[in-house]
Amino acid sequence: MRKAEGPGAPAFARPRHPPSAARRDAWLTPEQELLLNAALLPDERALAAWRRLRPAMHPDRLDGPVQAVLPQLHRNLLALGVQDELMPLLKGVHRYVWAQNQLLFAATTPALAALGASDIPTLLLKGAAHVAGDRVDAGMRPMNDLDVLVPTESAPAAIDVLAGAGFVPVADREPWYVARFAPRCIPSHGFRDGNDRQLDLHWHALHTSCQPGADEDFWAAARPVSLRGVATRAMCASDELLHAILHGLRWNDLPTYRWVLDAALIVRSGGVEFDRVVAQARRRRVALPLRTGLRVLERVAGLEVPRSALRALARPAPLQRIELAAEMTRPRDRGALGWAVLYQQQAARRELPLGVRATPLGHARVLRQRRGRPAAALEAALDGPAGGAAQADLDLADSEVVHRHVIDGLWRPDGEARGSWMAGAQARLRLRADDRARLLRVWAGPPLRPAGATLQVSVQGRPLAPMTLHPGRHALDGEGAVVPADVLNGREEVQVALRTRAVAAPTRLGLSDDDRRLGFLLRRVSLAPAAACPPDAEFALGAGSGDEPWLAGGFSDAHDGGRWTVGPSAGVLLDLGVPLAGRELWFESGPVVPELPRLAVAVLINGVEVATLRRDTDLVRTVVTVPPAVAAAGGTQVHLGWRIRRPRSPRSLGLSEDPRPLGLFLRRVGVT
């Protein structure tokens, strides 16, 4: 059926999100409320709603979510004695839904049975629970998939069982990715068979309650049911009501008022203990969404909710009001405050134990955890990647590389972007190492907000020189940083942490409805030995020189005849192959733009300052000697660095539009 169009079309399929959504009961339109009144009210009020609604009810406008209401609408109108030419059509929808659900059950119940045969407990959610519990027949509840909850710790094993039953993750996700990364962000993931029949595997029942042990109450009170002869479980009626309301009030591109039908069915079927519903909501700090849903049920379905229950839910915390308003609003329309509270509340519900009051001190602790673990925690054992020897050069557009080497903090590889986005502020990887692998390089596309974005890299908790996207720079193309020798210390592999504050969600920038928090787009990370440069050797910098193996960060793109240092520091890493005692290094710099101010430049060897020079407009050859303290430390590798005080951009001086903060123009480097 085609979508309703034109000024006379009813607003069934056009949800709205009022600015004061938290103060309104829900974002139902008047037309949607009339539809639900006609389907759910048991008396003359339903007939009055039908009379008002009927002029807009045309067969070619009954599409999408409206169809989910039609079986219940048909049953209610039939019970009230309504005679209408649309009744045969509504009856036909019931038959169609029944047939579609039989196909879904035939495809998915073998997988449900396979989970049980593998000693993995299962619990049906949403529509499947209603059918299995004999509340309704299969024609009364349209379903796109079979929702199945398993214990949180059993999720990886359940994914393996589904794979054996012919079900693969939707959206071309790999099973390992869903098992390792999805539980950290979402409570469920969809799987499909070869005929696109889908099963939604849940490891948590609620988006808003993902703490360890969050579902134990649900499992303890679950009741046995059977679907097509397969024994399983369903929530008790009280928990089902809470689940239906909390799931239904979340934003969806299509109207989600099907939850009203489910909630009304649960209450009218009996068994709901409102004291338990309230207690469960208060333990999970979701009193306001529950109260909002119950008031909708009173108004739209004519249900009687105990006043004591509403009074017990009457004083929610202020953060819950902001959170609910954000949850009920289209992602791209959420304000900065809504996003901040939403992220904080989601993190708090994962970190704070169930039933613990979220005090300001508790929120402060969660906020610190969100901003990243302390450096000492990075010394923890590697805790995630698949087995096998680590590599020293990682292509992060390769799914298997991500599988083996990413500990956490990356979304799955993005084929179009040719890399993997950081999932928030920090990502952790493991790389192969040895005592000579001193140069860590990063190839990365820009974050969504690239201006001045910095990537802070740490190896085994030791911070390296930051990598910054200075103005005019659009990517990190092999940006390098030197790893201190004592960090390696005979290790065969190391943990690398990458952090940035340049995190944004595409939906907040109006780019799409993608609400993932993205940092840098990481394409490649490598840990390599210093390039060989034996005594009496030299190398040139600039276009066509092949200088990349020596560069240790802080340089511009290659120019004819050399490279600029960009930002406050730059360096090259050389392996002389012989002891450093008595060795001299030299470099040629300039000539440069005469109008640029003279800058003080400190020259360093392995972090020890050995000279200070004033940049001149002429071609300058500077010679420095390896200091005795550096030579006494042993080794054959030398890091020649430059620290520039207050580099300036040609744009700031009115010389050109070049925004890069420039220092030296380096041409050649050599060893004697």
Side-chain angles (χ1 to χ4, degrees):
M1 299 180 184
R2 67 179 178 84
K3 186 176 180 180
E5 299 175 351
F12 293 135
R14 296 197 301 274
R16 64 185 182 182
H17 43 90
S20 56
R23 293 188 294 273
R24 297 281 296 273
D25 284 333
W27 43 260
L28 296 172
T29 67
E31 292 83 0
Q32 292 164 3
E33 289 202 19
L34 284 175
L35 179 64
L36 291 169
N37 290 156
L40 293 172
L41 294 174
D43 49 32
E44 177 60 33
R45 292 172 295 170
L47 297 177
W50 174 247
R51 286 191 291 269
R52 293 178 59 191
L53 185 67
R54 180 61 182 89
M57 294 286 289
H58 298 288
D60 61 345
R61 294 177 179 172
L62 304 180
D63 64 336
V66 178
Q67 295 180 12
V69 186
L70 299 185
Q72 177 61 34
L73 177 65
H74 174 258
R75 172 171 291 187
N76 203 40
L77 295 180
L78 194 64
L80 293 171
V82 171
Q83 301 290 326
D84 193 285
E85 61 182 9
L86 278 183
M87 295 297 281
L89 173 64
L90 301 183
K91 183 178 181 180
V93 172
H94 176 275
R95 293 175 176 173
Y96 173 79
V97 170
W98 184 91
Q100 289 296 106
N101 283 343
Q102 295 306 319
L103 294 174
L104 174 65
F105 296 155
T108 54
T109 49
L112 186 67
L115 291 169
S118 299
D119 295 326
I120 298 176
T122 60
L123 187 152
L124 298 180
L125 302 172
K126 305 179 188 177
H130 299 324
V131 175
D134 295 326
R135 285 199 184 109
V136 294
D137 67 71
M140 292 296 295
R141 179 50 162 84
M143 283 175 265
N144 299 320
D145 51 30
L146 189 77
D147 289 274
V148 180
L149 175 69
V150 299
T152 307
E153 65 277 7
S154 299
I159 292 170
D160 290 339
V161 171
L162 292 182
F167 282 79
V168 298
V170 300
D172 297 324
R173 301 290 193 266
E174 296 84 354
W176 63 262
Y177 178 86
V178 177
R180 280 183 52 200
F181 294 113
R184 306 179 188 189
C185 307
I186 52 179
S188 67
H189 199 284
F191 290 76
R192 60 177 178 81
D193 68 2
N195 295 317
D196 204 28
R197 307 292 179 186
Q198 297 191 15
L199 183 151
D200 196 9
L201 182 69
H202 294 248
W203 38 85
H204 285 297
L206 299 171
H207 285 79
T208 50
S209 189
C210 296
Q211 306 95 326
D215 300 321
E216 290 179 357
D217 288 350
F218 300 147
W219 285 102
R223 54 195 170 90
V225 295
S226 175
L227 184 64
R228 289 178 65 96
V230 178
T232 180
R233 298 172 179 82
M235 287 179 170
C236 72
S238 303
D239 295 343
E240 277 188 303
L241 178 61
L242 178 70
H243 182 268
I245 291 175
L246 296 185
H247 186 270
L249 289 182
R250 292 172 57 84
W251 171 263
N252 194 303
D253 284 335
L254 296 175
T256 56
Y257 47 77
R258 186 169 61 186
W259 71 269
V260 180
L261 299 175
D262 287 346
L265 175 64
I266 293 166
V267 174
R268 285 175 174 160
S269 297
V272 173
E273 299 174 4
F274 280 96
D275 288 345
R276 177 182 174 88
V277 180
V278 170
Q280 291 282 38
R282 292 171 65 90
R283 289 190 71 197
R284 291 165 170 78
R285 302 189 297 280
V286 290
L288 182 58
L290 177 60
R291 178 182 172 86
T292 300
L294 292 177
R295 292 182 64 182
V296 171
L297 293 177
E298 282 187 317
R299 188 184 72 249
V300 175
L303 299 179
E304 293 186 4
V305 178
R307 297 297 97 187
S308 59
L310 294 176
R311 285 195 298 271
L313 302 169
R315 294 185 178 181
L319 287 182
Q320 287 189 33
R321 297 184 181 278
I322 302 172
E323 180 189 21
L324 180 60
E327 286 277 15
M328 295 172 63
T329 302
R330 181 188 295 274
R332 66 177 63 186
D333 296 327
R334 292 169 184 161
L337 178 61
W339 276 112
V341 170
L342 198 59
Y343 288 140
Q344 176 67 12
Q345 289 285 80
Q346 288 173 348
R349 289 201 175 92
R350 286 181 177 272
E351 299 293 338
L352 299 179
L354 196 66
V356 172
R357 182 171 174 266
T359 64
L361 184 61
H363 274 295
R365 178 167 60 84
V366 171
L367 186 60
R368 287 196 300 270
Q369 292 173 338
R370 285 179 54 203
R371 290 177 174 174
R373 303 175 183 177
L378 297 180
E379 294 289 351
L382 299 174
D383 59 355
Q391 299 174 204
D393 193 339
L394 308 184
D395 177 5
L396 296 175
D398 186 320
S399 177
E400 282 305 310
V401 168
V402 172
H403 184 196
R404 294 195 303 270
H405 293 85
V406 174
I407 300 172
D408 57 26
L410 283 189
W411 299 108
R412 68 185 298 271
D414 185 325
E416 293 184 3
R418 296 177 291 110
S420 297
W421 286 97
M422 291 177 64
Q426 176 173 286
R428 294 189 298 158
L429 321 169
R430 65 173 189 143
L431 281 84
R432 189 177 66 217
D434 58 50
D435 289 341
R436 302 184 65 80
R438 298 280 309 283
L439 188 57
L440 187 130
R441 292 188 182 279
V442 175
W443 288 258
L448 298 180
R449 290 176 171 168
T454 296
L455 189 64
Q456 179 63 62
V457 182
S458 301
V459 177
Q460 293 299 124
R462 181 80 65 86
L464 309 185
M467 303 175 182
T468 302
L469 279 175
H470 296 291
R473 191 177 189 186
H474 303 294
L476 296 176
D477 290 324
E479 182 74 359
V482 177
V483 180
D486 63 311
V487 170
L488 301 173
N489 195 25
R491 298 178 186 271
E492 294 184 355
E493 64 183 50
V494 292
Q495 185 180 120
V496 177
L498 304 102
R499 290 177 51 83
T500 183
R501 292 186 177 181
V503 178
T507 185
R508 293 193 63 183
L509 302 178
L511 302 176
S512 71
D513 281 335
D514 184 353
D515 62 356
R516 295 178 302 165
R517 300 177 70 240
L518 307 179
F520 274 82
L521 174 66
L522 301 180
R523 294 196 170 108
R524 185 177 155 207
V525 177
S526 72
L527 184 58
C533 187
D536 301 322
E538 63 180 69
F539 67 91
L541 286 81
S545 67
D547 58 3
E548 289 86 357
W550 286 273
L551 303 183
F555 286 99
S556 69
D557 295 337
H559 295 271
D560 289 338
R563 289 180 186 261
W564 287 99
T565 65
V566 180
S569 62
V572 296
L573 184 64
L574 315 172
D575 190 342
L576 308 187
V578 296
L580 303 180
R583 298 296 170 185
E584 293 182 335
L585 288 83
W586 59 267
F587 57 91
E588 290 181 358
S589 60
V592 295
V593 180
E595 292 83 359
L596 287 175
R598 295 168 63 87
L599 296 178
V601 179
V603 184
L604 303 95
I605 293 180
N606 287 5
V608 177
E609 185 172 331
V610 295
T612 301
L613 57 93
R614 293 281 180 178
R615 192 193 64 193
D616 207 317
T617 59
D618 297 326
L619 184 65
V620 176
R621 181 183 174 103
T622 303
V623 181
V624 292
T625 302
V626 175
V630 172
T636 64
Q637 297 183 357
V638 59
H639 178 214
L640 177 61
W642 299 270
R643 187 168 59 227
I644 297 92
R645 184 180 300 171
R646 291 194 299 272
R648 301 288 297 277
S649 70
R651 177 193 290 176
S652 69
L653 299 170
L655 302 177
S656 72
E657 292 302 313
D658 187 347
R660 299 173 299 172
L662 304 179
L664 290 173
F665 187 75
L666 291 168
R667 291 181 171 276
R668 306 183 71 81
V669 174
V671 182
T672 58

